[in-house]
Amino acid sequence: MAPALDVDQHTTGQVQLENAKSIKVLEELLGKLTVSKSQDEINESSNDLASFINGDIEEEMAPTNAVALLKKQLGNKKDAVARERALDAARAIASHTKISPAVEPYLVQILPDVLTAVGDKMVPVKDSANETALAIVKAVNPNAVKALLPHILNSLRNAQKWQEKMTDLRCIEKLCETATAQLAYRVPELIPVVSEAMWDTKPDVKKFAYSIMEKVCGLIVNKDIERFIPELIKCIAKPENVPETVHLLGATTFVTDVHEPTLAIMVPLLERGLVERETAIKRKSAVIVDNMCKLVEDPNIVASFLPKLMPALEKNYDNLADPEAREKTSQGLETLKRVGNVQNGKIPEASHAGNIATVAAIVKQCFAGEHQGAVDKFPAIVNHIAAIGGQLVDEKETESVSWATQIKPYLVVLAGDADADPIADSLRKKASPGVEEDEEVEPDEEEGEDLCNCTFNLAYGAKILLNQTHLRLKRGQRYGLLGPNGSGKTTLMRAINNEQVEGFPKQNEVKTVFVEHDLDAADTELTVIGWTMMKLKSVGIDRSNEDVEGKLIEFGFKEDQLNGPITALSGGWKMKLALARAVFEEPDILLLDEPTNHMDVLNVKWLEDYLKTNNCTSIIISHDSKFLDNVLQHVIHYERFKLKRYRGNLSGFVNRVPSAKSYYELGASDMEFKFPEPGFLEGVKTKAKAIVKVNHMEFQYPGTSKPQISEISFQCSLGSRIAVIGPNGAGKTTLVNVLTGELIPTKGDVYQHENIRIAYIKQHAFAHIDHHLDKTPSEYIQWRFQTGEDRETMDRANKIVTDADEKAMDKIYKIEGTQRRVIGVHSRRKFKNSYEYECSFALGENIGQKGEKWTPMMTADNAWIPRSELIASHQKMVAEVDQKEALASGQFRPLVRKEIEAHCAMFGIDAELVSHSRMRGLSGGQRVKVVLAACSWQRPHLIVLDEPTNYLDRDSLGALSKALKSFEGGVIIITHNSEFTQNLTEEVWSCMDGKMTPSGHNWVQGQGAGPRLTDKGEEEEQFDEFGNKIVGNKKAKKLTSSEARKKKKDRMARRKRGEEVFSDED
């Protein structure tokens, strides 16, 4: 395509002559197309016309006249053939292999006429119009979607014919495919119009609109609500679903920044929720507004939604009778006003910086002078440039390269090639808010070899992560890849490693290695050196054992580690081993994802030194701010679907982008857990006295050849802090299952204090919650403990009566000269240094003979049997009574809302979530907290955690670690994560091959030394089963003899004075 005419090259007369020739040719080609009858002739004429108008012509007026001619033929009501041929011509122009920038704006201009033609009575015209509309949508620059979409939405809203609406929806569907990232910004405009189509009277339109709404909502990038999107769409189609969906969303903790597309799908639900009849739904809707708006950064984001939400919130605040609901409404209203910058009740006007009219005015300013005539002559091209510029403003795109790439071809049409670049840069500075003041040029790249210099897109499923972003990497440089959680950092690394990034060099050009420790369950039998050799061979590297051993020793491995099992390596050593494997591949680029996780201080220092001294380029993802400060030379930061490079380390980057600091600070200090005090144990006067004791214990699963654990001896006290470590299959979980009563040992003695309460938090503890997802946490805790016992532990092996137990219970006792069997154990009382138990009996007659008979006896015949005699035959009945007494000794906790909310607050669960949010809507982290709260409801003396690092995030782990340190009872943790236990546990149980070796323990006989514990039970408030406080249940204090004499004297003196004195006063 030739540049625009320049007065220096052509006289005005020549220009007019060229234009006249172009228009004449155009009319001839259009005339030829109109009279074409066979399909071949039609195709040939259409292609000639398309080639001519998109080709090298002096196109000053040609496109303008072409559109005028086509519009005239489309408006010919009498000649259907003329209408059809005009559509054929428009479709051919739009489908041409190379569309001229001078022609593209006119395709947008003709779209409304094409959409109207879809409603034509003649089927050929209707079909041709449908195809032409889709061709135009496909042909137009995706960044010009701002110019295209208003025509489509206007047609969808006002079309008289249902066929036209179907085509409009197909056009939106096509835009979802061709302009995914750009259309995401237009979601607030799309949702209201597509919602109307979902209520169309024509079933075909209704059904198709629903599927288009799903695709439109697929453009919304917000991890917090993406799982609820299907429900939100259902609410638009069926408003009766609003209350249920509000319940689902009420438990969502918003952590991702909220932008216009997210609000666009949420606001229709909230609007309806705020006017629902139920107070609970109005309250919940206000809570959602409050939670969501806290993550809105820019008042412009919420500006267009304020008129929809504020009036409803204000009305509810004035009219709601429930004071608590009114308070929540007030909170939501205040947050909305603060975020929206509402002053004195006046809603501020939304920014118009990206509007076509605003940018078009700036375009005209940039063209002032010699090119002013072209601007006035071709408003369609000016509007097209403004639409693209407006899209870039909305995207907050300020890179001069992006503006020049997108806008220059259209500027050339108006101003020529020489002036296009300065005009593009001028437009960028004037149209983008704040760019002129904050323009900062990043220093040039260092000298050196380019390993990568590419522009690419990246998506995860249907979600756009990066759009037309630039990445340049130099040899030997260290880059930190930083961005908020969920932005796609690891996805980018995996895409680079799998050769899925467009333009990134292939593995045969630049060797890239993604470092991760990928230990499979099948590999656990291998030694370290054997596993390393196997992995190297799998990537085609053939090295001798000596070479590999030498390199591993160079990396700090010891010879006994190399020949030891791979499972014995800690997480830090596994990462080191993965790095050593990567070095053998001689990479140009190392991709490191959280390399310092599980590493101790020495290994982190070793990694820093290795990266600094190696000439390999590295891209690092890490939350370790000290490590990043010491290593990085550049920061590559995720910013609104783009990667932006900042020179320097993390500190320098945070100084320039202060908001980024929050990404990399561990939040452990912000989150706090607290376990309840375990309460007094009778006979336990120090924290060193054993409350669990095991001697020579053995356990073997039925049908196995040898015991899983054997010769196990240990003891636990209230002061125990124990880490259970060992490779997979060493018997750690089996050992703890026996300790907690999940399994019964096949040999050995297991002693537990009669009143002990144990909380066991298993890895699959969440399976219990999965059956109660439609309950709130408060309802779940009430269900679980409503009988006074923990209903989740009913299936423990020590509570299930087996055939062997029944046989043992046949034991005959001789009491008061009669032979009896125990059929029930009901209560216990103190007996010497132990207990005796009240038992009910069956009386035996003709024992051992043919007519043997057992008759249940009356309760008056109950008798007391010492524990030492009863335990051998009725162990599980005795244990059941012990547990009931243990629960009673912990003080009865009323299962009322206030008490449950106070208990859950100790684990950082807001009262809002506890009593008003169903667990189905809780995040994984919140469910973990519910499990911790529920397991500790009975105030346990001993807490057992199985691999807590597998199901807790770093923030929660930090909080849990602090809570366990301050816990007054004993703690046992099964873990592979030394980072978690190193400052927490003092005693280590090392399991290997079914044996357990304790270290660091301080086991004592009897009470041992240390401070004495006191019974705080009498000081605590007590409650009955209905939650009422019990007053006046303290025992009267016994008076000394001198105090009694003094009181008697006082009574006699009062009587002598004539005062009324009662004899029972004392």
Side-chain angles (χ1 to χ4, degrees), residues 107 204 208 297 300 397 476 491 559 567 573 667 688 732 755 802 931 944 979 988 1007:
L107 290 174
D204 292 1
F208 193 38
E297 293 178 346
N300 282 314
E397 176 57 75
T491 306
E559 286 193 24
T567 50
W573 282 105
K732 303 187 299 297
N755 290 353
T802 62
V931 169
V944 183
E979 182 189 6
V988 175
Q1007 297 290 350

Side-chain angles (χ1 to χ4, degrees), residues 521-527 565-567 728:
D523 301 333
T524 52
E525 304 298 321
L526 296 171
T527 62
I566 185 75
T567 50
N728 293 336

Side-chain angles (χ1 to χ4, degrees), residues 85 213 1016:
R85 295 296 172 265
M213 180 62 89
K1016 299 178 186 175

Side-chain angles (χ1 to χ4, degrees), residues 668-928:
S669 57
D670 296 335
M671 190 183 289
E672 286 192 5
F673 292 168
K674 186 183 177 188
F675 287 101
E677 281 198 31
F680 189 74
L681 277 176
E682 195 173 356
V684 178
K685 296 176 181 174
T686 68
K687 281 195 171 186
K689 180 174 171 63
I691 54 175
V692 175
K693 204 167 187 177
V694 170
N695 285 318
H696 306 295
M697 185 261 287
E698 181 178 292
F699 176 80
Q700 182 173 354
Y701 283 105
T704 54
S705 58
K706 62 173 187 175
Q708 275 64 50
I709 50 175
S710 59
E711 287 302 310
I712 303 287
S713 296
F714 62 80
Q715 68 182 48
C716 305
S717 66
L718 290 172
S720 292
R721 294 290 184 273
I722 301 162
V724 185
I725 63 170
N728 293 336
K732 303 187 299 297
T733 302
T734 306
L735 169 64
V736 168
N737 280 340
V738 172
L739 165 70
T740 56
E742 298 279 325
L743 301 170
I744 300 293
T746 45
K747 257 190 210 176
D749 302 323
V750 178
Y751 159 77
Q752 288 186 353
H753 189 284
E754 296 83 356
N755 290 353
I756 193 172
R757 299 183 292 275
I758 299 176
Y760 181 23
I761 300 159
K762 300 183 273 189
Q763 277 183 267
H764 58 273
F766 308 114
H768 296 313
I769 280 187
D770 288 342
H771 301 302
H772 306 279
L773 292 179
D774 290 321
K775 292 186 175 80
T776 65
S778 176
E779 289 167 349
Y780 169 67
I781 290 174
Q782 286 172 337
W783 169 86
R784 183 165 168 175
F785 298 102
Q786 65 186 356
T787 61
E789 295 184 65
D790 186 351
R791 291 173 74 167
E792 298 287 20
T793 62
M794 295 296 192
D795 57 351
R796 284 187 179 172
N798 64 357
K799 295 190 178 182
I800 298 168
V801 177
T802 62
D803 293 341
D805 294 328
E806 287 185 355
K807 192 173 180 183
M809 285 193 283
D810 288 342
K811 180 180 176 181
I812 297 172
Y813 291 85
K814 285 191 178 179
I815 294 172
E816 296 176 359
T818 58
Q819 291 184 309
R820 307 180 185 181
R821 278 183 184 163
V822 175
I823 58 172
V825 180
H826 305 290
S827 61
R828 77 177 189 200
R829 67 187 181 191
K830 198 77 178 153
F831 178 69
K832 296 181 181 176
N833 288 330
S834 182
Y835 294 95
E836 60 180 1
Y837 294 80
E838 183 188 5
C839 301
S840 55
F841 301 97
L843 182 65
E845 298 174 28
N846 304 323
I847 297 168
Q849 299 175 23
K850 191 174 181 182
E852 183 175 324
K853 183 181 175 186
W854 292 93
T855 308
M857 301 178 75
M858 303 288 286
T859 53
D861 298 312
N862 287 2
W864 296 84
I865 300 177
R867 179 185 177 88
S868 53
E869 290 180 34
L870 190 61
I871 197 82
S873 58
H874 291 74
Q875 181 186 359
K876 288 178 181 173
M877 281 189 175
V878 168
E880 196 174 336
V881 172
D882 284 343
Q883 190 192 27
K884 285 178 182 174
E885 292 290 335
L887 294 175
S889 71
Q891 303 301 334
F892 188 84
R893 297 191 77 175
L895 278 167
V896 293
R897 174 176 150 182
K898 188 177 177 183
E899 178 80 3
I900 293 171
E901 285 179 357
H903 176 71
C904 291
M906 296 164 75
F907 295 91
I909 314 174
D910 188 56
E912 176 69 32
L913 295 180
V914 176
S915 299
H916 300 283
S917 299
R918 296 179 187 176
M919 291 194 290
R920 188 179 297 281
L922 299 185
S923 68
Q926 288 164 337
R927 291 186 192 182
V928 170

Side-chain angles (χ1 to χ4, degrees), residues 105-362:
Y106 293 97
L107 290 174
V108 176
Q109 207 176 50
I110 204 173
L111 182 62
D113 301 273
V114 174
L115 290 172
T116 305
V118 177
D120 201 284
K121 292 177 182 177
M122 306 303 291
V123 174
V125 176
K126 190 184 296 182
D127 293 345
S128 184
N130 180 59
E131 290 174 24
T132 305
L134 292 174
I136 290 171
V137 167
K138 187 179 177 184
V140 173
N141 183 336
N143 281 300
V145 74
K146 257 192 164 179
L148 205 59
L149 196 60
H151 297 314
I152 298 169
L153 296 182
N154 186 53
S155 170
L156 182 57
R157 187 165 258 162
N158 302 314
Q160 300 299 313
K161 302 288 178 69
W162 69 270
Q163 292 93 338
E164 185 178 341
K165 291 184 179 182
M166 291 292 283
T167 299
D168 295 327
L169 292 169
R170 288 188 194 103
C171 289
I172 295 170
E173 183 179 35
K174 180 62 73 177
L175 283 173
C176 287
E177 297 166 10
T178 60
T180 311
Q182 293 84 356
L183 200 64
Y185 290 88
R186 310 273 74 83
V187 168
E189 298 155 39
L190 280 163
I191 285 179
V193 184
V194 179
S195 298
E196 288 174 23
M198 287 168 66
W199 284 84
D200 199 88
T201 51
K202 186 74 177 175
D204 292 1
V205 174
K206 199 173 181 177
K207 186 178 177 183
F208 193 38
Y210 194 100
S211 69
I212 296 302
M213 180 62 89
E214 289 178 327
K215 292 188 177 178
V216 168
C217 291
L219 303 170
I220 298 170
V221 182
N222 187 300
K223 292 191 81 172
D224 300 326
I225 69 155
E226 62 185 20
R227 59 194 169 122
F228 301 115
I229 282 175
E231 300 302 323
L232 290 165
I233 296 171
K234 278 182 197 169
C235 283
I236 295 170
K238 295 182 178 178
E240 60 268 24
N241 290 356
V242 165
E244 196 61 30
T245 310
V246 168
H247 273 301
L248 279 174
L249 273 156
T252 302
T253 301
F254 289 88
V255 294
T256 310
D257 283 351
V258 173
H259 295 284
E260 291 96 328
T262 308
L263 288 171
I265 189 64
M266 290 289 292
V267 166
L269 172 82
L270 296 172
E271 270 189 290
R272 287 197 177 114
L274 289 168
V275 297
E276 278 287 318
R277 179 171 292 180
E278 283 183 59
T279 298
I281 302 300
K282 289 178 179 176
R283 177 192 174 285
K284 187 77 77 177
S285 299
V287 169
I288 296 169
V289 171
D290 184 33
N291 291 340
M292 194 169 61
C293 288
K294 285 173 183 170
L295 289 160
V296 175
E297 293 178 346
D298 185 353
N300 282 314
I301 291 172
V302 81
S304 58
F305 301 102
L306 286 172
K308 297 178 181 178
L309 295 176
M310 263 184 63
L313 284 167
E314 287 170 344
K315 184 180 177 184
N316 287 352
Y317 179 65
D318 292 337
N319 297 335
L320 283 175
D322 182 349
E324 202 263 349
R326 206 164 54 249
E327 184 191 343
K328 291 293 178 185
T329 303
S330 173
Q331 286 175 13
L333 187 58
E334 288 305 312
T335 304
L336 192 63
K337 285 180 177 177
R338 177 177 54 78
V339 168
N341 198 24
V342 177
Q343 304 289 340
N344 302 320
K346 187 181 177 184
I347 296 173
E349 195 175 346
S351 168
H352 302 300
N355 286 11
I356 292 179
T358 307
V359 182
I362 298 169

